[in-house]
């Protein structure tokens, strides 16, 4: 058994790494337990958007929580680069949601109006076709316009994960790889004890479960039922092409290296991370309708990855009532919320509470809905 920690974080993806880094920056002794490449790691398949326009409508707490994350992203990116020297590919300045019909334009107008009515601290502008051509001159003839928000941006999920883990180590954090947490128990003197199938154990005064789709079985051991389910998304990547798109969009973005990503789908496929030609063809058709010049681009690869979805699609931030000091953090917006998880929630967990996390994001809401 290892010496005790202030905090053990289970899950080495973007969520767990951000929490661990944030706690370690506050001086906490933190161990991050990472299952390794066998995990259904969402950061490997993430589209890389920091996306706020339309997020959280009808759920004010989630909307304001997400917008706060968007506002923190420039600071978050700058700190990571200063601590590691890694350029994580952060690019702000707004994102575009394309419209291919007048009905879609009207739907964006309604979204903008509703965002204002619900107090969203975000500027969303609706661009007609001619205004859009000034910033995206290669759009196809079917494109009617787009909405442009000031907070949306893009980033490399893999470089962000690398930077978080490197920075975590510089603050004294320990990462244990290829560790699959199997059992959680609590001891009055030792605190929380996490063990794997071999009996290897780690102890800590506090515990944070950020294990993605593996959180269901772990949370049940601390008295919480989460009901998380997988949702598959597929993404297509092309070879490098000349720069043509300065803003990320809801379905297409060009990386700083010049490759183009087309995505993404929403599929109920269980735990399968496979791909299928029908979805790949649909993503390619959408991409070429938006930018016809992409018809000459060469497809390099396609992949599928799993999102972590709660019963209502919203995050879960909760301390186990039966085991104070044990927390669960899960969401499907690990990129967008990474800034907030690292800069505010991680430090709060180091002190033994959830800080500014909305109380409406507790899992008890599912029991209320069922009742």
């Amino acid at each position: 058994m290892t010496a005790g920690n202030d905090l053990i974080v289970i899950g080495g993806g973007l969520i767990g790494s951000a929490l661990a880094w944030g706690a370690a920056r506050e001086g906490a002794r933190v161990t991050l337990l990472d299952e390794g490449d066998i995990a259904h790691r969402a950061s490997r398949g993430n589209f890389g958007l920091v996306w706020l326009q339309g997020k959280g409508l009808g759920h004010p707490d989630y909307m304001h929580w997400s917008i706060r994350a968007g506002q923190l992203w420039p600071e978050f990116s700058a700190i990571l680069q200063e601590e590691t020297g890694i350029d994580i590919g952060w690019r702000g300045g707004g994102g575009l949601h394309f419209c291919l019909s007048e009905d879609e334009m009207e739907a964006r107008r309604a979204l903008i109006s509703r965002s204002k009515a619900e107090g969203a601290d975000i500027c969303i502008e609706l661009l007609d076709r001619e205004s859009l051509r000034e910033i995206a001159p290669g759009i196809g003839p079917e494109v009617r316009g787009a909405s442009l928000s000031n907070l949306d941006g893009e980033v490399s999920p893999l470089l962000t994960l690398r930077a978080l883990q490197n920075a975590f180590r510089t603050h004294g954090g320990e990462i244990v790889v290829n560790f699959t947490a199997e059992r959680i128990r609590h001891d009055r003197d030792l605190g929380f004890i996490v063990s794997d199938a071999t009996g290897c154990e780690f102890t800590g005064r506090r515990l944070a479960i950020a294990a993605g789709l593996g959180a269901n079985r772990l949370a049940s051991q601390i008295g919480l039922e989460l009901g998380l389910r997988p949702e598959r998304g597929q993404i297509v990547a092309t070879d490098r092409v000349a720069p043509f798109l300065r803003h990320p969009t809801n379905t297409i973005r060009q990386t700083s290296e010049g490759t183009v990503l087309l995505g993404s789908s929403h599929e109920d496929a269980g735990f399968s991370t496979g791909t299928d030609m029908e979805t790949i063809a649909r993503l390619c058709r959408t991409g070429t309708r938006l930018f016809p010049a992409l018809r000459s681009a060469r497809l390099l690869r396609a992949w599928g990855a799993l999102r972590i979805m709660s019963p209502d699609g919203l995050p879960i931030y909760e301390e186990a009532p039966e085991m104070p000091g044990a927390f669960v953090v899960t969401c499907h917006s690990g990129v967008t919320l990474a800034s907030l998880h690292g800069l505010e929630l991680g430090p709060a967990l180091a002190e033994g509470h959830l800080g500014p996390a909305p109380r409406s994001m507790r899992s008890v809401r599912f029991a209320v809905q069922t009742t």
Side-chain angles (χ1 to χ4, degrees):
M1 181 183 295
T2 64
N5 297 273
D6 295 312
L7 177 68
I8 296 176
V9 179
I10 304 176
L14 277 173
I15 297 175
S17 297
L19 297 175
W21 170 72
R25 288 183 77 225
E26 294 298 301
R29 182 176 179 180
V30 185
T31 293
L32 178 64
L33 304 178
D34 182 7
E35 192 174 22
D37 288 341
I38 64 173
H40 292 288
R41 203 183 298 283
S43 54
R44 288 189 302 210
N46 198 290
F47 203 51
L49 295 180
V50 175
W51 202 257
L52 287 307
Q53 56 175 300
K55 183 164 288 186
L57 287 180
H59 302 278
D61 286 346
Y62 182 41
M63 178 179 68
H64 295 299
W65 180 250
S66 299
I67 288 174
R68 172 67 177 156
Q71 293 167 340
L72 287 172
W73 253 97
E75 176 187 356
F76 177 62
S77 173
I79 292 173
L80 285 179
Q81 180 151 14
E82 180 181 352
E83 291 188 356
T84 67
I86 297 174
D87 179 0
I88 63 175
W90 161 248
R91 181 167 61 175
L96 293 167
H97 183 108
F98 288 117
C99 300
L100 293 170
S101 69
E102 289 304 320
D103 287 344
E104 291 183 5
M105 289 286 284
E106 186 56 39
R108 300 314 286 179
R109 291 188 187 95
L111 180 144
I112 293 170
S113 177
R114 188 176 176 190
S115 296
K116 292 179 180 177
E118 295 185 9
D121 186 15
I122 184 173
C123 177
I124 309 175
E125 180 184 4
L126 190 64
L127 306 178
D128 60 21
R129 178 176 173 81
E130 292 308 310
S131 298
L132 178 59
R133 287 184 66 186
E134 295 180 6
I135 60 175
I139 56 174
E142 296 179 75
V143 179
R144 295 292 176 263
S147 58
L148 172 66
S149 84
N150 63 322
L151 286 180
D152 294 338
E154 61 186 321
V155 70
S156 166
L158 290 177
L159 288 176
T160 302
L161 180 63
R162 178 185 173 192
L164 281 169
Q165 294 190 351
N166 284 5
F168 171 60
R169 289 189 178 97
T170 67
H171 291 289
E174 179 187 7
I175 301 178
V176 180
V177 298
N178 301 321
F179 184 95
T180 301
E182 295 289 350
R183 185 183 179 199
I184 299 170
R185 52 193 168 88
H186 185 264
D187 182 273
R188 184 175 61 183
D189 298 321
L190 296 175
F192 293 95
I193 304 170
V194 182
S195 58
D196 67 1
T198 70
C200 180
E201 295 180 339
F202 293 87
T203 66
R205 293 168 54 212
R206 302 184 183 97
L207 169 71
I209 298 173
L213 292 166
N216 278 333
R217 62 178 177 80
L218 295 173
S220 66
Q221 299 181 40
I222 60 172
L224 297 176
E225 298 299 327
L226 306 182
L228 302 177
R229 61 175 176 83
E231 180 186 82
R232 186 173 70 185
Q234 296 182 47
I235 296 175
V236 176
T238 76
D239 59 357
R240 297 180 183 184
V241 299
F244 70 95
L245 184 59
R246 300 197 306 268
H247 297 272
T249 83
N250 58 313
T251 57
I252 179 173
R253 77 178 189 93
Q254 186 172 28
T255 68
S256 57
E257 295 83 9
T259 59
V260 178
L261 302 182
L262 306 174
S264 60
S265 61
H266 301 267
E267 308 160 58
D268 182 4
F271 285 85
S272 168
T273 57
T275 59
D276 63 85
M277 289 304 300
E278 181 180 355
T279 301
I280 292 172
R282 178 173 57 79
L283 296 177
C284 292
R285 283 195 300 270
T286 299
T288 55
R289 288 174 72 189
L290 296 175
F291 290 94
L294 286 176
R295 291 174 182 144
S296 61
R298 184 168 60 96
L299 299 186
L300 292 183
R301 62 192 182 102
W303 66 91
L306 301 180
R307 302 181 185 92
I308 299 94
M309 303 298 295
S310 69
D312 61 4
L314 303 181
I316 300 173
Y317 302 103
E318 187 154 15
E319 182 176 14
E322 299 174 10
M323 288 190 184
F327 302 88
V328 166
V329 177
T330 184
C331 69
H332 75 275
S333 298
V335 171
T336 297
L337 296 177
S339 59
L340 197 48
H341 290 160
L343 295 177
E344 296 190 2
L345 188 54
L349 291 177
E351 297 177 355
H353 58 87
L354 285 166
R359 294 189 60 83
S360 61
M361 297 291 99
R362 309 298 193 254
S363 66
V364 69
R365 68 188 188 266
F366 307 135
V368 172
Q369 291 171 1
T370 301
T371 302

